[in-house]
Short mmCIF file of all heavy atoms in Angstrom, two decimals:
data_model
loop_
_atom_site.label_atom_id
_atom_site.label_comp_id
_atom_site.label_asym_id
_atom_site.label_seq_id
_atom_site.Cartn_x
_atom_site.Cartn_y
_atom_site.Cartn_z
N VAL A 387 7.55 33.35 5.33
CA VAL A 387 6.16 33.84 5.45
C VAL A 387 5.67 33.58 6.88
O VAL A 387 5.04 34.38 7.50
CB VAL A 387 5.23 33.21 4.38
CG1 VAL A 387 3.77 33.41 4.70
CG2 VAL A 387 5.49 33.80 2.99
N HIS A 388 5.94 32.37 7.34
CA HIS A 388 5.53 32.02 8.70
C HIS A 388 6.14 33.03 9.68
O HIS A 388 5.36 33.44 10.62
CB HIS A 388 5.99 30.63 9.07
CG HIS A 388 5.16 29.55 8.39
ND1 HIS A 388 4.80 28.41 9.03
CD2 HIS A 388 4.57 29.50 7.15
CE1 HIS A 388 4.06 27.60 8.20
NE2 HIS A 388 3.95 28.27 7.11
N ALA A 389 7.37 33.43 9.53
CA ALA A 389 7.99 34.38 10.47
C ALA A 389 7.32 35.76 10.33
O ALA A 389 7.10 36.39 11.36
CB ALA A 389 9.50 34.50 10.07
N VAL A 390 6.98 36.20 9.16
CA VAL A 390 6.37 37.51 9.00
C VAL A 390 4.88 37.47 9.60
O VAL A 390 4.48 38.36 10.34
CB VAL A 390 6.26 37.93 7.52
CG1 VAL A 390 5.44 39.22 7.32
CG2 VAL A 390 7.73 38.15 7.01
N VAL A 391 4.17 36.38 9.28
CA VAL A 391 2.81 36.27 9.84
C VAL A 391 2.84 36.23 11.39
O VAL A 391 2.02 36.98 12.05
CB VAL A 391 2.12 34.99 9.28
CG1 VAL A 391 0.84 34.73 10.01
CG2 VAL A 391 1.85 35.12 7.74
N ALA A 392 3.75 35.52 11.99
CA ALA A 392 3.85 35.46 13.38
C ALA A 392 4.24 36.83 13.94
O ALA A 392 3.71 37.23 14.93
CB ALA A 392 4.91 34.41 13.77
N ALA A 393 5.18 37.48 13.38
CA ALA A 393 5.62 38.81 13.83
C ALA A 393 4.48 39.81 13.79
O ALA A 393 4.38 40.74 14.63
CB ALA A 393 6.80 39.30 13.05
N MET A 394 3.62 39.72 12.76
CA MET A 394 2.55 40.73 12.58
C MET A 394 1.28 40.30 13.35
O MET A 394 0.33 41.08 13.42
CB MET A 394 2.21 40.84 11.07
CG MET A 394 3.32 41.36 10.20
SD MET A 394 3.64 43.10 10.46
CE MET A 394 2.11 43.78 10.08
N ALA A 395 1.17 39.12 13.83
CA ALA A 395 -0.03 38.63 14.56
C ALA A 395 -0.39 39.54 15.70
O ALA A 395 0.45 40.06 16.43
CB ALA A 395 0.13 37.24 15.05
N PRO A 396 -1.66 39.85 15.90
CA PRO A 396 -2.12 40.74 16.97
C PRO A 396 -1.72 40.26 18.36
O PRO A 396 -1.48 41.02 19.25
CB PRO A 396 -3.68 40.74 16.81
CG PRO A 396 -3.89 40.41 15.34
CD PRO A 396 -2.78 39.48 14.99
N HIS A 397 -1.62 38.97 18.58
CA HIS A 397 -1.19 38.35 19.85
C HIS A 397 0.13 37.67 19.61
O HIS A 397 0.31 37.08 18.55
CB HIS A 397 -2.23 37.36 20.33
CG HIS A 397 -3.63 37.97 20.48
ND1 HIS A 397 -3.92 38.87 21.37
CD2 HIS A 397 -4.76 37.82 19.76
CE1 HIS A 397 -5.18 39.26 21.29
NE2 HIS A 397 -5.75 38.64 20.26
N PRO A 398 0.99 37.71 20.57
CA PRO A 398 2.34 37.12 20.44
C PRO A 398 2.21 35.59 19.97
O PRO A 398 1.49 34.81 20.53
CB PRO A 398 2.91 37.15 21.78
CG PRO A 398 2.25 38.27 22.49
CD PRO A 398 0.87 38.26 21.89
N THR A 399 2.88 35.30 18.87
CA THR A 399 2.88 33.97 18.30
C THR A 399 4.26 33.61 17.80
O THR A 399 4.94 34.46 17.23
CB THR A 399 1.85 33.97 17.06
OG1 THR A 399 0.65 34.42 17.53
CG2 THR A 399 1.73 32.62 16.46
N ALA A 400 4.69 32.35 18.01
CA ALA A 400 5.94 31.91 17.47
C ALA A 400 5.71 31.33 16.14
O ALA A 400 4.79 30.65 15.90
CB ALA A 400 6.56 30.92 18.46
N ALA A 401 6.64 31.61 15.22
CA ALA A 401 6.53 31.06 13.88
C ALA A 401 6.46 29.57 13.87
O ALA A 401 5.75 28.92 13.08
CB ALA A 401 7.76 31.57 12.95
N GLY A 402 7.16 28.88 14.72
CA GLY A 402 7.11 27.47 14.83
C GLY A 402 5.83 26.88 15.27
O GLY A 402 5.58 25.67 15.08
N ASP A 403 4.94 27.73 15.87
CA ASP A 403 3.61 27.31 16.25
C ASP A 403 2.61 27.27 15.10
O ASP A 403 1.52 26.87 15.27
CB ASP A 403 3.06 28.18 17.39
CG ASP A 403 3.87 27.99 18.65
OD1 ASP A 403 4.56 26.93 18.79
OD2 ASP A 403 3.79 28.92 19.49
N LEU A 404 3.04 27.87 13.95
CA LEU A 404 2.10 28.01 12.81
C LEU A 404 2.28 26.83 11.89
O LEU A 404 3.33 26.29 11.77
CB LEU A 404 2.43 29.29 12.04
CG LEU A 404 2.32 30.64 12.80
CD1 LEU A 404 2.68 31.76 11.93
CD2 LEU A 404 1.01 30.75 13.48
N ASP A 405 1.15 26.42 11.22
CA ASP A 405 1.27 25.44 10.17
C ASP A 405 0.37 25.90 8.99
O ASP A 405 -0.26 27.00 9.11
CB ASP A 405 0.88 24.01 10.57
CG ASP A 405 -0.53 23.93 11.09
OD1 ASP A 405 -1.45 24.54 10.52
OD2 ASP A 405 -0.79 23.15 12.02
N GLY A 406 0.39 25.23 7.94
CA GLY A 406 -0.38 25.67 6.80
C GLY A 406 -1.83 25.89 7.00
O GLY A 406 -2.51 26.68 6.35
N GLY A 407 -2.43 25.19 7.97
CA GLY A 407 -3.85 25.27 8.27
C GLY A 407 -4.27 26.32 9.26
O GLY A 407 -5.45 26.49 9.52
N THR A 408 -3.27 27.01 9.81
CA THR A 408 -3.52 28.07 10.81
C THR A 408 -4.29 29.16 10.11
O THR A 408 -3.90 29.69 9.10
CB THR A 408 -2.22 28.65 11.41
OG1 THR A 408 -1.52 27.56 12.00
CG2 THR A 408 -2.53 29.67 12.46
N ARG A 409 -5.48 29.50 10.62
CA ARG A 409 -6.34 30.51 10.08
C ARG A 409 -5.94 31.93 10.58
O ARG A 409 -5.74 32.16 11.74
CB ARG A 409 -7.81 30.23 10.40
CG ARG A 409 -8.22 28.83 9.78
CD ARG A 409 -9.56 28.43 10.34
NE ARG A 409 -9.42 28.21 11.78
CZ ARG A 409 -10.42 27.96 12.57
NH1 ARG A 409 -11.65 27.80 12.15
NH2 ARG A 409 -10.20 27.73 13.86
N LEU A 410 -5.84 32.86 9.70
CA LEU A 410 -5.43 34.22 10.05
C LEU A 410 -6.41 34.92 10.96
O LEU A 410 -5.97 35.54 11.95
CB LEU A 410 -5.27 35.03 8.71
CG LEU A 410 -4.18 34.52 7.75
CD1 LEU A 410 -4.19 35.31 6.48
CD2 LEU A 410 -2.83 34.64 8.39
N VAL A 411 -7.66 34.82 10.67
CA VAL A 411 -8.64 35.53 11.48
C VAL A 411 -9.09 34.71 12.71
O VAL A 411 -8.98 35.16 13.87
CB VAL A 411 -9.91 35.91 10.63
CG1 VAL A 411 -11.02 36.47 11.42
CG2 VAL A 411 -9.49 36.89 9.51
N ALA A 412 -9.51 33.51 12.46
CA ALA A 412 -10.08 32.70 13.55
C ALA A 412 -9.01 32.23 14.58
O ALA A 412 -9.28 32.23 15.78
CB ALA A 412 -10.78 31.48 13.00
N ASP A 413 -7.79 31.94 14.11
CA ASP A 413 -6.78 31.42 15.02
C ASP A 413 -5.84 32.49 15.52
O ASP A 413 -5.34 32.40 16.66
CB ASP A 413 -5.94 30.31 14.34
CG ASP A 413 -6.81 29.12 14.02
OD1 ASP A 413 -7.81 28.82 14.66
OD2 ASP A 413 -6.45 28.42 13.00
N LEU A 414 -5.48 33.45 14.66
CA LEU A 414 -4.47 34.44 14.99
C LEU A 414 -5.10 35.81 15.30
O LEU A 414 -4.36 36.79 15.59
CB LEU A 414 -3.42 34.57 13.81
CG LEU A 414 -2.67 33.26 13.60
CD1 LEU A 414 -1.72 33.47 12.42
CD2 LEU A 414 -1.90 32.82 14.81
N ALA A 415 -6.39 35.94 15.20
CA ALA A 415 -7.15 37.20 15.55
C ALA A 415 -6.69 38.45 14.61
O ALA A 415 -6.78 39.56 15.02
CB ALA A 415 -6.90 37.56 16.97
N TYR A 416 -6.37 38.08 13.41
CA TYR A 416 -6.10 39.24 12.40
C TYR A 416 -7.43 39.86 12.14
O TYR A 416 -8.53 39.19 11.99
CB TYR A 416 -5.52 38.70 11.10
CG TYR A 416 -4.05 38.57 11.08
CD1 TYR A 416 -3.42 37.47 11.59
CD2 TYR A 416 -3.25 39.60 10.52
CE1 TYR A 416 -2.01 37.36 11.52
CE2 TYR A 416 -1.92 39.52 10.48
CZ TYR A 416 -1.23 38.39 10.99
OH TYR A 416 0.06 38.34 10.95
N ASP A 417 -7.41 41.24 12.03
CA ASP A 417 -8.60 41.98 11.61
C ASP A 417 -8.34 42.60 10.29
O ASP A 417 -7.16 42.37 9.71
CB ASP A 417 -9.06 43.01 12.62
CG ASP A 417 -7.98 44.09 12.87
OD1 ASP A 417 -7.07 44.23 12.11
OD2 ASP A 417 -8.07 44.72 13.93
N SER A 418 -9.25 43.31 9.64
CA SER A 418 -9.06 43.82 8.32
C SER A 418 -7.89 44.76 8.21
O SER A 418 -7.11 44.70 7.27
CB SER A 418 -10.35 44.51 7.80
OG SER A 418 -10.71 45.60 8.64
N VAL A 419 -7.71 45.61 9.24
CA VAL A 419 -6.53 46.57 9.13
C VAL A 419 -5.20 45.78 9.26
O VAL A 419 -4.23 46.07 8.52
CB VAL A 419 -6.64 47.58 10.25
CG1 VAL A 419 -5.37 48.40 10.29
CG2 VAL A 419 -7.86 48.44 10.06
N ARG A 420 -5.20 44.82 10.17
CA ARG A 420 -3.93 44.07 10.31
C ARG A 420 -3.66 43.19 9.10
O ARG A 420 -2.48 43.03 8.72
CB ARG A 420 -4.05 43.18 11.51
CG ARG A 420 -2.76 42.41 11.90
CD ARG A 420 -1.70 43.36 12.29
NE ARG A 420 -1.72 43.43 13.71
CZ ARG A 420 -0.81 44.14 14.42
NH1 ARG A 420 0.16 44.76 13.84
NH2 ARG A 420 -0.91 44.20 15.71
N LEU A 421 -4.69 42.69 8.40
CA LEU A 421 -4.49 41.99 7.11
C LEU A 421 -3.84 42.87 6.06
O LEU A 421 -2.99 42.44 5.32
CB LEU A 421 -5.79 41.34 6.62
CG LEU A 421 -6.27 40.12 7.48
CD1 LEU A 421 -7.70 39.84 7.05
CD2 LEU A 421 -5.37 38.98 7.31
N ILE A 422 -4.28 44.11 5.97
CA ILE A 422 -3.70 45.09 5.07
C ILE A 422 -2.24 45.34 5.38
O ILE A 422 -1.38 45.32 4.54
CB ILE A 422 -4.49 46.39 5.03
CG1 ILE A 422 -5.86 46.15 4.36
CG2 ILE A 422 -3.68 47.51 4.26
CD1 ILE A 422 -6.86 47.26 4.60
N GLU A 423 -1.95 45.46 6.70
CA GLU A 423 -0.56 45.64 7.12
C GLU A 423 0.29 44.43 6.82
O GLU A 423 1.45 44.55 6.42
CB GLU A 423 -0.55 45.94 8.68
CG GLU A 423 -1.17 47.27 9.01
CD GLU A 423 -1.30 47.51 10.47
OE1 GLU A 423 -1.29 46.51 11.27
OE2 GLU A 423 -1.49 48.70 10.90
N LEU A 424 -0.29 43.25 6.99
CA LEU A 424 0.43 42.03 6.66
C LEU A 424 0.74 41.99 5.17
O LEU A 424 1.94 41.63 4.79
CB LEU A 424 -0.38 40.79 7.05
CG LEU A 424 0.24 39.40 6.62
CD1 LEU A 424 1.52 39.16 7.31
CD2 LEU A 424 -0.76 38.34 6.96
N THR A 425 -0.16 42.33 4.38
CA THR A 425 0.02 42.38 2.89
C THR A 425 1.18 43.29 2.53
O THR A 425 2.07 42.93 1.76
CB THR A 425 -1.26 42.82 2.16
OG1 THR A 425 -2.30 41.94 2.50
CG2 THR A 425 -1.01 42.86 0.71
N ILE A 426 1.21 44.52 3.10
CA ILE A 426 2.27 45.47 2.86
C ILE A 426 3.60 44.93 3.32
O ILE A 426 4.60 45.02 2.60
CB ILE A 426 1.90 46.80 3.45
CG1 ILE A 426 0.72 47.41 2.74
CG2 ILE A 426 3.04 47.76 3.43
CD1 ILE A 426 0.08 48.58 3.50
N ALA A 427 3.60 44.30 4.51
CA ALA A 427 4.88 43.77 5.04
C ALA A 427 5.38 42.63 4.14
O ALA A 427 6.60 42.55 3.89
CB ALA A 427 4.62 43.21 6.44
N LEU A 428 4.53 41.83 3.58
CA LEU A 428 4.96 40.71 2.77
C LEU A 428 5.49 41.30 1.43
O LEU A 428 6.51 40.78 0.91
CB LEU A 428 3.79 39.74 2.53
CG LEU A 428 3.39 38.90 3.71
CD1 LEU A 428 2.11 38.18 3.43
CD2 LEU A 428 4.53 37.88 4.06
N GLU A 429 4.78 42.25 0.87
CA GLU A 429 5.25 42.89 -0.37
C GLU A 429 6.64 43.46 -0.16
O GLU A 429 7.48 43.33 -1.07
CB GLU A 429 4.29 43.98 -0.83
CG GLU A 429 2.94 43.42 -1.31
CD GLU A 429 1.86 44.45 -1.54
OE1 GLU A 429 2.03 45.60 -1.11
OE2 GLU A 429 0.80 44.11 -2.03
N LYS A 430 6.85 44.15 0.95
CA LYS A 430 8.17 44.77 1.19
C LYS A 430 9.24 43.73 1.48
O LYS A 430 10.34 43.79 0.93
CB LYS A 430 8.07 45.78 2.32
CG LYS A 430 7.33 47.05 1.99
CD LYS A 430 7.32 48.02 3.10
CE LYS A 430 6.62 49.31 2.70
NZ LYS A 430 6.63 50.31 3.75
N HIS A 431 8.87 42.76 2.33
CA HIS A 431 9.92 41.72 2.69
C HIS A 431 10.44 40.93 1.48
O HIS A 431 11.58 40.63 1.39
CB HIS A 431 9.23 40.80 3.78
CG HIS A 431 10.24 39.70 4.17
ND1 HIS A 431 11.05 39.94 5.22
CD2 HIS A 431 10.40 38.43 3.78
CE1 HIS A 431 11.83 38.85 5.43
NE2 HIS A 431 11.47 37.96 4.48
N PHE A 432 9.52 40.62 0.60
CA PHE A 432 9.84 39.76 -0.53
C PHE A 432 10.05 40.55 -1.86
O PHE A 432 10.34 40.05 -2.86
CB PHE A 432 8.79 38.70 -0.84
CG PHE A 432 8.75 37.68 0.28
CD1 PHE A 432 7.76 37.76 1.28
CD2 PHE A 432 9.64 36.60 0.29
CE1 PHE A 432 7.74 36.76 2.28
CE2 PHE A 432 9.64 35.66 1.30
CZ PHE A 432 8.67 35.80 2.33
N GLY A 433 9.87 41.89 -1.74
CA GLY A 433 10.03 42.70 -2.96
C GLY A 433 8.98 42.43 -4.07
O GLY A 433 9.30 42.39 -5.22
N LEU A 434 7.76 42.18 -3.63
CA LEU A 434 6.69 41.79 -4.54
C LEU A 434 5.98 43.08 -5.08
O LEU A 434 5.88 44.06 -4.43
CB LEU A 434 5.65 40.93 -3.87
CG LEU A 434 6.15 39.62 -3.19
CD1 LEU A 434 4.99 38.99 -2.39
CD2 LEU A 434 6.67 38.67 -4.31
N ALA A 435 5.47 42.90 -6.22
CA ALA A 435 4.51 43.92 -6.82
C ALA A 435 3.34 43.87 -5.95
O ALA A 435 3.07 42.84 -5.25
CB ALA A 435 4.20 43.59 -8.25
N ALA A 436 2.43 44.96 -5.96
CA ALA A 436 1.24 44.88 -5.22
C ALA A 436 0.44 43.65 -5.53
O ALA A 436 0.23 43.33 -6.67
CB ALA A 436 0.45 46.22 -5.55
N LEU A 437 -0.01 42.99 -4.48
CA LEU A 437 -0.78 41.78 -4.68
C LEU A 437 -2.23 42.19 -5.00
O LEU A 437 -2.77 43.14 -4.50
CB LEU A 437 -0.76 40.94 -3.35
CG LEU A 437 0.64 40.50 -2.95
CD1 LEU A 437 0.61 39.89 -1.52
CD2 LEU A 437 1.12 39.39 -3.94
N GLU A 438 -2.82 41.43 -5.89
CA GLU A 438 -4.17 41.77 -6.44
C GLU A 438 -5.24 41.41 -5.30
O GLU A 438 -5.21 40.40 -4.71
CB GLU A 438 -4.49 40.92 -7.63
CG GLU A 438 -3.60 41.22 -8.83
CD GLU A 438 -3.91 40.28 -10.02
OE1 GLU A 438 -5.07 39.83 -10.09
OE2 GLU A 438 -2.98 40.12 -10.86
#
Side-chain angles (χ1 to χ4, degrees):
V387 167
H388 284 217
V390 173
V391 170
M394 297 290 300
H397 302 292
T399 304
D403 292 340
L404 304 179
D405 62 35
T408 303
R409 298 168 297 174
L410 298 171
V411 175
D413 298 329
L414 299 176
Y416 272 84
D417 60 20
S418 58
V419 173
R420 186 65 95 176
L421 288 169
I422 292 168
E423 293 172 341
L424 174 62
T425 301
I426 293 166
L428 290 166
E429 289 168 353
K430 287 183 179 183
H431 182 86
F432 292 100
L434 302 174
L437 298 169
E438 295 177 26

